[in-house]
Amino acid sequence: MSSDNLPWVEKYRPAKLDDVYGQKDVVQTVRKFAKEGRIPHLLFYGPPGTGKTSTIIALARELYGKNYRNMVLELNASDDRGIDVVRDQIKNFASTRQIFNSGFKLIILDEADAMSNAAQNALRRVIEKYTKNTRFCILANYSHKLNPALLSRCTRFRFSPLADSALQDRVDYVIKAEGLKIASDARQSLLELSEGDMRRALNVLQACATAVESGEEITQDMVYECVGAPRPQSVMTVLDAIMSNDWTDAYATMTKIRKTEGLALVDLMSGFVSVLDKYELKPRTRMAVLQGLGDIEYSISKGGSDKIQCTAVIGVIKNALENEN
Ligand SMILES: Nc1ncnc2c1ncn2[C@@H]1O[C@H](COP(=O)(O)OP(=O)(O)OP(=O)(O)O)[C@@H](O)[C@H]1O
Ligand SMILES: [Mg+2]
């Protein structure tokens, strides 16, 4: 089957609205609009991998069926071909007469927040001009990057990061469909590391599946390796060494684990932040640690030396604990 060569994010792209997981309210509302034949201009915004593109394409498939190609124009607004090209394409598409009249044509403008302000300004005129027989659906990650005049022409839907239960349902479906074996702690880590992004969940799952022999189980370590995130166990080993051992030992442990696992200091630091919940610390101490790590992260982004920032991390944590008493 040709779909075997597809990346799973494409292979498992929702074919109908029912396959869109975890966005019940949005799906329910757009379905209602469609049923009543009163679709407004739409704006879907929210973080990556939450189903914006999938939802509008699934909706369009349900609306137009075989007629999809005639009725839907998909444009990627971040293509750097300029607004003129986009305007021409829209004009051509919107002004060809429909022989079988079956409602509005749909123009999907993906990644609209990558458009320049001038282009967005031009677009609002275009939208107005063709409202008679077309509807626009604008997709973006950030609504604040869109021109207010554009926003006010659309009905807005926010796509939130997907709940773990939604990720889990879809991931389980794919695991079953692909006949994978996965340890339950590995599955749990996969969900946590995906942070509400279904695209990431499926990509990591596929990377893991490629790494194992068929029939072999996907382990938690593999998941961490594929994501490039440190394993909680290693993070805790370093954190424990910093908290309980002397300076030299703490530094040695940190260096060793960073080397064997190939971790950048910032990865280790985000690891600290996520395991810190498991430690019993006074609020003041926790605050001092987090604030200190924040400052160091900033210094690293400004090009601070790795060795100095490493020692600063140890210093921040030890200091915070010392001041606890
Ligand atoms: N809610 C969802 N239900 C089921 N699958 C989903 C969902 N969201 C994302 N996916 C999966 O992730 C892939 C990417 O999703 P999609 O292109 O819809 O994300 P997006 O929200 O448009 O992201 P971006 O902002 O990066 O464009 C889809 O092909 C699908 O496999
Ligand atoms: Mg998209």
Side-chain angles (χ1 to χ4, degrees):
M1 230 165 73
S2 66
S3 67
D4 278 352
N5 303 325
L6 283 177
W8 287 357
V9 284
E10 289 311 326
K11 185 171 172 187
Y12 294 101
R13 188 184 280 284
K16 43 190 191 326
L17 284 174
D18 284 337
D19 298 337
V20 175
Y21 285 52
Q23 306 289 6
K24 222 166 125 210
D25 292 345
V26 182
V27 168
Q28 223 165 29
T29 315
V30 293
R31 204 174 238 152
K32 191 154 168 262
F33 283 147
K35 210 165 158 196
E36 295 169 356
R38 286 189 306 121
I39 298 186
H41 297 306
L42 299 167
L43 166 69
F44 292 172
Y45 69 101
T50 49
K52 299 179 294 299
T53 306
S54 303
T55 302
I56 191 61
I57 291 182
L59 175 72
R61 286 198 192 290
E62 291 194 2
L63 278 177
Y64 304 121
K66 276 200 203 110
N67 229 348
Y68 184 94
R69 288 176 65 120
N70 296 327
M71 299 297 285
V72 182
L73 177 66
E74 292 174 47
L75 292 173
N76 199 313
S78 65
D79 273 359
D80 55 8
R81 288 171 301 171
I83 184 69
D84 291 338
V85 180
V86 172
R87 198 163 22 193
D88 281 349
Q89 273 181 306
I90 292 177
K91 191 172 145 205
N92 281 336
F93 173 75
S95 51
T96 42
R97 277 247 306 281
Q98 293 155 225
I99 303 169
F100 309 102
N101 192 334
S102 44
F104 298 114
K105 291 185 169 187
L106 180 69
I107 298 177
I108 302 173
L109 269 176
D110 213 338
E111 296 175 31
D113 47 359
M115 288 174 104
S116 69
N117 208 20
Q120 291 188 27
N121 262 323
L123 192 62
R124 63 186 206 196
R125 286 287 307 123
V126 177
I127 292 185
E128 237 148 48
K129 202 162 159 198
Y130 299 108
T131 294
K132 235 196 211 155
N133 66 335
T134 53
R135 286 295 177 264
F136 285 77
C137 180
I138 297 176
L139 309 180
N141 288 125
Y142 305 102
S143 68
H144 69 258
K145 288 195 187 163
L146 293 171
N147 190 314
L150 205 54
L151 289 178
S152 84
R153 284 166 173 74
C154 302
T155 305
R156 272 180 253 184
F157 292 92
R158 183 179 144 72
F159 280 62
S160 348
L162 294 166
D164 274 1
S165 59
L167 286 175
Q168 186 173 327
D169 289 347
R170 190 61 167 172
V171 162
D172 284 350
Y173 173 87
V174 174
I175 289 173
K176 193 154 172 239
E178 295 291 331
L180 302 175
K181 280 193 195 140
I182 181 166
S184 69
D185 58 354
R187 177 164 150 280
Q188 191 51 39
S189 300
L190 172 69
L191 300 180
E192 279 164 23
L193 290 167
S194 301
E195 294 174 348
D197 178 342
M198 185 80 83
R199 184 187 289 117
R200 189 178 327 166
L202 296 184
N203 277 334
V204 171
L205 188 64
Q206 184 170 21
C208 291
T210 316
V212 295
E213 303 287 329
S214 71
E216 201 185 325
E217 190 178 60
I218 295 171
T219 63
Q220 192 180 34
D221 281 359
M222 265 177 212
V223 172
Y224 279 102
E225 206 160 295
C226 284
V227 179
R231 294 178 306 131
Q233 201 47 55
S234 323
V235 175
M236 288 202 247
T237 310
V238 180
L239 204 50
D240 291 341
I242 297 177
M243 287 177 165
S244 336
N245 304 358
D246 66 17
W247 186 281
T248 325
D249 182 77
Y251 187 73
T253 309
M254 185 159 168
T255 315
K256 188 172 137 227
I257 290 205
R258 279 191 56 199
K259 221 177 228 162
T260 49
E261 305 211 0
L263 296 174
L265 183 57
V266 279
D267 295 335
L268 192 59
M269 285 165 55
S270 10
F272 286 162
V273 173
S274 47
V275 300
L276 216 55
D277 296 344
K278 301 200 176 91
Y279 286 74
E280 235 173 75
L281 296 171
K282 291 200 178 128
R284 192 155 53 95
T285 314
R286 191 181 300 274
M287 241 149 51
V289 171
L290 292 173
Q291 192 173 12
L293 291 179
D295 290 345
I296 295 170
E297 190 202 25
Y298 182 72
S299 309
I300 295 173
S301 76
K302 289 284 168 201
S305 119
D306 193 73
K307 181 156 185 195
I308 295 178
Q309 301 307 323
C310 258
T311 50
V313 169
I314 302 176
V316 157
I317 298 172
K318 280 199 172 297
N319 235 333
L321 286 172
E322 204 120 294
N323 294 337
E324 185 167 49
N325 310 310

